[in-house]
Amino acid sequence: MKTKFFYLVLVNLSLLLSSCSNDDDFTVPQSVNSEQSIVSIASDTPELSVLVSALTRADGNLVNVLNGNGPFTLLAPTNTAFNNFLSDNGFNSLDDVPTDVLSQILLNHVIMADVKSTDLTLSGSGYASGSATGANNQNISIYFNTENGVTFNGIANVTTADVNASNGTIHIIDAVLGLPDIVDLTVANSNFSSLVAALGAADGDLVTVLQGNGPFTVLAPDNNAFNTFLDGTPLEDVDTATLSQILLNHVVAGSAITSNTLINAGSGYTNTAATAANSNALSLYYNTSNGVTFNGISTVMSADIVGTNGIIHAVDAVIDIPTVVTFAAADPNFSTLVTALTDLTPNTDFVSILSRTEGGNSDGINPDFTVFAPTNDAFDNLASIPEESALTQVLLHHVIGGANVTSSNLNNPGNTTAQTLQSDNITITLPGSGDNIANITDGSGSSDVGIIAVDVQAGNGVIHVINKVMIPNL
């Protein structure tokens, strides 16, 4: 089911071209016939002479490649397109372009399938894979849109479609497709116009950041996602520092994470470029049991949009700054804990309390929170779950208020003692015994509680996962 999800959301090679415009600048020679190869046809077409020269000069023996069996689809820029590209990029001639770069640019115009204009589906827009190499050695994506003719990456229009060759098809275009970074691919797709506007408005010059070397993984909310998130609030009314952190919470820096990587992992946590207390990176929870979701609220709609410096996954919801409650609700390993915090303790609004992001509360319970979260197995090992009054005290015994205590803040080796919201102290001992990262002695004196995962960082605190429910001195 998971594999099917990812490959259905990718628009495959029934993609590309609508009928050509009627005002072509030139015509393909009448002598062209379908028995000729792509290279032979291009060589016989005067307005593709620069393309032929480029194929000859580039690394990779591309003339021989495109004379092969294929099938191929070649998006063929005209001489005018090449001249404009050279001028716009500061090259005096084709000879000034490094041959390895030239090879990648040309490969970005080659699709390893025979795609006719009649192969268009009702999708109207989508992505195909070129043959150039981008982030994580994946093929760079090409965005197409058929709303007004056919455009590629928002810059190249088809002028002549369906030039049939013995080993594929040529579609002639009026601009060279440069190698797109993740910003280029985002700008090209009008469904990301709200994201583009937000990146431009936020603090931190995020457009420039995402044009850097990377690699990056970007979870890109579409316009509908932004409209739902803003709920009528104009983008210009959103605090720009807050907006920057929300956007950075959609960016994993230093890694281009493919859909296959997520599927193989199943579920887990990674860090985003957003920060919380003490400049700690915010955590991001992913789960692939039913599609791919992030923090339990945002689902991948289209995966593996590859640029030179990263990979984009289009998502259907903006991922707000998470609280400790966000992660508890998103991660099914904490479902019993969530039930305990809600259904089993109706007289205490734990969800509202642990969602707080501001101090000065009348009850004295203020963020940041350090939460020691028992797994479902930990609850299962109890003889029984206590009644509400006792359970409320047990749950408060798992929270330290007013402090974001990460693993790096603990004495190692040694003991760290802290008071919980319930009022009893707990003592954390590093290193832990056996497979435990650390051991905890709870209020009842039991010292066999193990911390098994650390530093799930939220905007209002941090979670450490434990393998036994802590009991206070009731």
PDB file of all heavy atoms in Angstrom, residues 192-213:
ATOM      1  N   PHE A 192       2.316  26.460  -5.646  1.00  0.00           N
ATOM      2  CA  PHE A 192       3.155  26.825  -4.514  1.00  0.00           C
ATOM      3  C   PHE A 192       3.344  28.334  -4.405  1.00  0.00           C
ATOM      4  O   PHE A 192       4.269  28.795  -3.725  1.00  0.00           O
ATOM      5  CB  PHE A 192       4.527  26.153  -4.634  1.00  0.00           C
ATOM      6  CG  PHE A 192       4.513  24.657  -4.557  1.00  0.00           C
ATOM      7  CD1 PHE A 192       5.293  23.898  -5.420  1.00  0.00           C
ATOM      8  CD2 PHE A 192       3.720  23.998  -3.632  1.00  0.00           C
ATOM      9  CE1 PHE A 192       5.287  22.518  -5.355  1.00  0.00           C
ATOM     10  CE2 PHE A 192       3.703  22.614  -3.559  1.00  0.00           C
ATOM     11  CZ  PHE A 192       4.486  21.869  -4.420  1.00  0.00           C
ATOM     12  N   SER A 193       2.482  29.120  -5.018  1.00  0.00           N
ATOM     13  CA  SER A 193       2.678  30.573  -5.016  1.00  0.00           C
ATOM     14  C   SER A 193       2.590  31.155  -3.607  1.00  0.00           C
ATOM     15  O   SER A 193       3.306  32.109  -3.271  1.00  0.00           O
ATOM     16  CB  SER A 193       1.668  31.252  -5.940  1.00  0.00           C
ATOM     17  OG  SER A 193       0.335  31.010  -5.525  1.00  0.00           O
ATOM     18  N   SER A 194       1.731  30.599  -2.750  1.00  0.00           N
ATOM     19  CA  SER A 194       1.644  31.095  -1.368  1.00  0.00           C
ATOM     20  C   SER A 194       2.916  30.778  -0.603  1.00  0.00           C
ATOM     21  O   SER A 194       3.393  31.593   0.199  1.00  0.00           O
ATOM     22  CB  SER A 194       0.441  30.476  -0.659  1.00  0.00           C
ATOM     23  OG  SER A 194      -0.773  30.886  -1.249  1.00  0.00           O
ATOM     24  N   LEU A 195       3.481  29.594  -0.841  1.00  0.00           N
ATOM     25  CA  LEU A 195       4.746  29.240  -0.212  1.00  0.00           C
ATOM     26  C   LEU A 195       5.852  30.183  -0.666  1.00  0.00           C
ATOM     27  O   LEU A 195       6.662  30.650   0.160  1.00  0.00           O
ATOM     28  CB  LEU A 195       5.106  27.794  -0.551  1.00  0.00           C
ATOM     29  CG  LEU A 195       6.491  27.305  -0.122  1.00  0.00           C
ATOM     30  CD1 LEU A 195       6.669  27.423   1.384  1.00  0.00           C
ATOM     31  CD2 LEU A 195       6.718  25.870  -0.586  1.00  0.00           C
ATOM     32  N   VAL A 196       5.897  30.475  -1.952  1.00  0.00           N
ATOM     33  CA  VAL A 196       6.914  31.388  -2.480  1.00  0.00           C
ATOM     34  C   VAL A 196       6.772  32.764  -1.839  1.00  0.00           C
ATOM     35  O   VAL A 196       7.764  33.386  -1.425  1.00  0.00           O
ATOM     36  CB  VAL A 196       6.813  31.479  -4.013  1.00  0.00           C
ATOM     37  CG1 VAL A 196       7.717  32.581  -4.553  1.00  0.00           C
ATOM     38  CG2 VAL A 196       7.172  30.136  -4.649  1.00  0.00           C
ATOM     39  N   ALA A 197       5.529  33.250  -1.717  1.00  0.00           N
ATOM     40  CA  ALA A 197       5.296  34.544  -1.090  1.00  0.00           C
ATOM     41  C   ALA A 197       5.731  34.533   0.376  1.00  0.00           C
ATOM     42  O   ALA A 197       6.336  35.500   0.865  1.00  0.00           O
ATOM     43  CB  ALA A 197       3.817  34.918  -1.202  1.00  0.00           C
ATOM     44  N   ALA A 198       5.441  33.447   1.078  1.00  0.00           N
ATOM     45  CA  ALA A 198       5.823  33.339   2.485  1.00  0.00           C
ATOM     46  C   ALA A 198       7.337  33.323   2.644  1.00  0.00           C
ATOM     47  O   ALA A 198       7.890  33.973   3.553  1.00  0.00           O
ATOM     48  CB  ALA A 198       5.203  32.088   3.092  1.00  0.00           C
ATOM     49  N   LEU A 199       8.026  32.588   1.777  1.00  0.00           N
ATOM     50  CA  LEU A 199       9.492  32.543   1.847  1.00  0.00           C
ATOM     51  C   LEU A 199      10.083  33.934   1.650  1.00  0.00           C
ATOM     52  O   LEU A 199      11.078  34.293   2.290  1.00  0.00           O
ATOM     53  CB  LEU A 199      10.038  31.584   0.787  1.00  0.00           C
ATOM     54  CG  LEU A 199       9.808  30.092   1.023  1.00  0.00           C
ATOM     55  CD1 LEU A 199      10.158  29.289  -0.228  1.00  0.00           C
ATOM     56  CD2 LEU A 199      10.621  29.591   2.215  1.00  0.00           C
ATOM     57  N   GLY A 200       9.477  34.706   0.772  1.00  0.00           N
ATOM     58  CA  GLY A 200       9.960  36.056   0.528  1.00  0.00           C
ATOM     59  C   GLY A 200       9.670  37.015   1.663  1.00  0.00           C
ATOM     60  O   GLY A 200      10.424  37.952   1.907  1.00  0.00           O
ATOM     61  N   ALA A 201       8.568  36.776   2.387  1.00  0.00           N
ATOM     62  CA  ALA A 201       8.151  37.693   3.454  1.00  0.00           C
ATOM     63  C   ALA A 201       8.835  37.402   4.782  1.00  0.00           C
ATOM     64  O   ALA A 201       8.989  38.304   5.616  1.00  0.00           O
ATOM     65  CB  ALA A 201       6.638  37.614   3.632  1.00  0.00           C
ATOM     66  N   ALA A 202       9.243  36.178   5.018  1.00  0.00           N
ATOM     67  CA  ALA A 202       9.749  35.761   6.331  1.00  0.00           C
ATOM     68  C   ALA A 202      11.144  36.313   6.602  1.00  0.00           C
ATOM     69  O   ALA A 202      11.910  36.632   5.687  1.00  0.00           O
ATOM     70  CB  ALA A 202       9.775  34.239   6.409  1.00  0.00           C
ATOM     71  N   ASP A 203      11.464  36.409   7.883  1.00  0.00           N
ATOM     72  CA  ASP A 203      12.826  36.763   8.282  1.00  0.00           C
ATOM     73  C   ASP A 203      13.802  35.680   7.824  1.00  0.00           C
ATOM     74  O   ASP A 203      13.427  34.523   7.630  1.00  0.00           O
ATOM     75  CB  ASP A 203      12.924  36.874   9.805  1.00  0.00           C
ATOM     76  CG  ASP A 203      12.234  38.118  10.354  1.00  0.00           C
ATOM     77  OD1 ASP A 203      11.757  38.942   9.544  1.00  0.00           O
ATOM     78  OD2 ASP A 203      12.162  38.249  11.587  1.00  0.00           O
ATOM     79  N   GLY A 204      15.060  36.083   7.674  1.00  0.00           N
ATOM     80  CA  GLY A 204      16.116  35.107   7.450  1.00  0.00           C
ATOM     81  C   GLY A 204      16.503  34.891   6.009  1.00  0.00           C
ATOM     82  O   GLY A 204      17.311  34.004   5.729  1.00  0.00           O
ATOM     83  N   ASP A 205      15.931  35.672   5.071  1.00  0.00           N
ATOM     84  CA  ASP A 205      16.293  35.541   3.658  1.00  0.00           C
ATOM     85  C   ASP A 205      16.239  34.081   3.220  1.00  0.00           C
ATOM     86  O   ASP A 205      17.203  33.514   2.697  1.00  0.00           O
ATOM     87  CB  ASP A 205      17.690  36.115   3.419  1.00  0.00           C
ATOM     88  CG  ASP A 205      17.984  36.369   1.946  1.00  0.00           C
ATOM     89  OD1 ASP A 205      17.041  36.269   1.119  1.00  0.00           O
ATOM     90  OD2 ASP A 205      19.147  36.646   1.613  1.00  0.00           O
ATOM     91  N   LEU A 206      15.066  33.472   3.427  1.00  0.00           N
ATOM     92  CA  LEU A 206      14.943  32.031   3.234  1.00  0.00           C
ATOM     93  C   LEU A 206      15.079  31.609   1.779  1.00  0.00           C
ATOM     94  O   LEU A 206      15.492  30.477   1.502  1.00  0.00           O
ATOM     95  CB  LEU A 206      13.613  31.542   3.802  1.00  0.00           C
ATOM     96  CG  LEU A 206      13.421  31.746   5.312  1.00  0.00           C
ATOM     97  CD1 LEU A 206      12.154  31.062   5.794  1.00  0.00           C
ATOM     98  CD2 LEU A 206      14.631  31.242   6.094  1.00  0.00           C
ATOM     99  N   VAL A 207      14.730  32.493   0.854  1.00  0.00           N
ATOM    100  CA  VAL A 207      14.910  32.150  -0.556  1.00  0.00           C
ATOM    101  C   VAL A 207      16.387  31.894  -0.840  1.00  0.00           C
ATOM    102  O   VAL A 207      16.765  30.886  -1.455  1.00  0.00           O
ATOM    103  CB  VAL A 207      14.357  33.248  -1.471  1.00  0.00           C
ATOM    104  CG1 VAL A 207      14.749  32.992  -2.927  1.00  0.00           C
ATOM    105  CG2 VAL A 207      12.837  33.336  -1.354  1.00  0.00           C
ATOM    106  N   THR A 208      17.231  32.807  -0.366  1.00  0.00           N
ATOM    107  CA  THR A 208      18.675  32.637  -0.563  1.00  0.00           C
ATOM    108  C   THR A 208      19.181  31.390   0.153  1.00  0.00           C
ATOM    109  O   THR A 208      20.013  30.649  -0.380  1.00  0.00           O
ATOM    110  CB  THR A 208      19.428  33.875  -0.065  1.00  0.00           C
ATOM    111  OG1 THR A 208      18.978  35.027  -0.793  1.00  0.00           O
ATOM    112  CG2 THR A 208      20.927  33.725  -0.249  1.00  0.00           C
ATOM    113  N   VAL A 209      18.674  31.143   1.357  1.00  0.00           N
ATOM    114  CA  VAL A 209      19.082  29.954   2.105  1.00  0.00           C
ATOM    115  C   VAL A 209      18.804  28.698   1.298  1.00  0.00           C
ATOM    116  O   VAL A 209      19.666  27.811   1.163  1.00  0.00           O
ATOM    117  CB  VAL A 209      18.346  29.892   3.461  1.00  0.00           C
ATOM    118  CG1 VAL A 209      18.563  28.526   4.124  1.00  0.00           C
ATOM    119  CG2 VAL A 209      18.828  31.006   4.386  1.00  0.00           C
ATOM    120  N   LEU A 210      17.606  28.618   0.726  1.00  0.00           N
ATOM    121  CA  LEU A 210      17.206  27.407   0.001  1.00  0.00           C
ATOM    122  C   LEU A 210      17.789  27.345  -1.411  1.00  0.00           C
ATOM    123  O   LEU A 210      17.608  26.339  -2.106  1.00  0.00           O
ATOM    124  CB  LEU A 210      15.680  27.310  -0.052  1.00  0.00           C
ATOM    125  CG  LEU A 210      15.021  27.066   1.308  1.00  0.00           C
ATOM    126  CD1 LEU A 210      13.502  27.077   1.175  1.00  0.00           C
ATOM    127  CD2 LEU A 210      15.490  25.764   1.930  1.00  0.00           C
ATOM    128  N   GLN A 211      18.485  28.379  -1.814  1.00  0.00           N
ATOM    129  CA  GLN A 211      19.264  28.320  -3.054  1.00  0.00           C
ATOM    130  C   GLN A 211      20.702  27.904  -2.788  1.00  0.00           C
ATOM    131  O   GLN A 211      21.496  27.806  -3.719  1.00  0.00           O
ATOM    132  CB  GLN A 211      19.237  29.682  -3.754  1.00  0.00           C
ATOM    133  CG  GLN A 211      17.889  30.031  -4.364  1.00  0.00           C
ATOM    134  CD  GLN A 211      17.821  31.443  -4.901  1.00  0.00           C
ATOM    135  OE1 GLN A 211      18.444  32.360  -4.350  1.00  0.00           O
ATOM    136  NE2 GLN A 211      17.066  31.645  -5.973  1.00  0.00           N
ATOM    137  N   GLY A 212      21.027  27.655  -1.536  1.00  0.00           N
ATOM    138  CA  GLY A 212      22.377  27.244  -1.162  1.00  0.00           C
ATOM    139  C   GLY A 212      22.670  25.813  -1.565  1.00  0.00           C
ATOM    140  O   GLY A 212      21.855  25.127  -2.185  1.00  0.00           O
ATOM    141  N   ASN A 213      23.831  25.350  -1.159  1.00  0.00           N
ATOM    142  CA  ASN A 213      24.285  24.029  -1.600  1.00  0.00           C
ATOM    143  C   ASN A 213      23.436  22.891  -1.058  1.00  0.00           C
ATOM    144  O   ASN A 213      23.304  21.846  -1.693  1.00  0.00           O
ATOM    145  CB  ASN A 213      25.745  23.818  -1.186  1.00  0.00           C
ATOM    146  CG  ASN A 213      26.703  24.712  -1.957  1.00  0.00           C
ATOM    147  OD1 ASN A 213      26.417  25.101  -3.088  1.00  0.00           O
ATOM    148  ND2 ASN A 213      27.821  25.052  -1.349  1.00  0.00           N
TER     149      ASN A 213
END
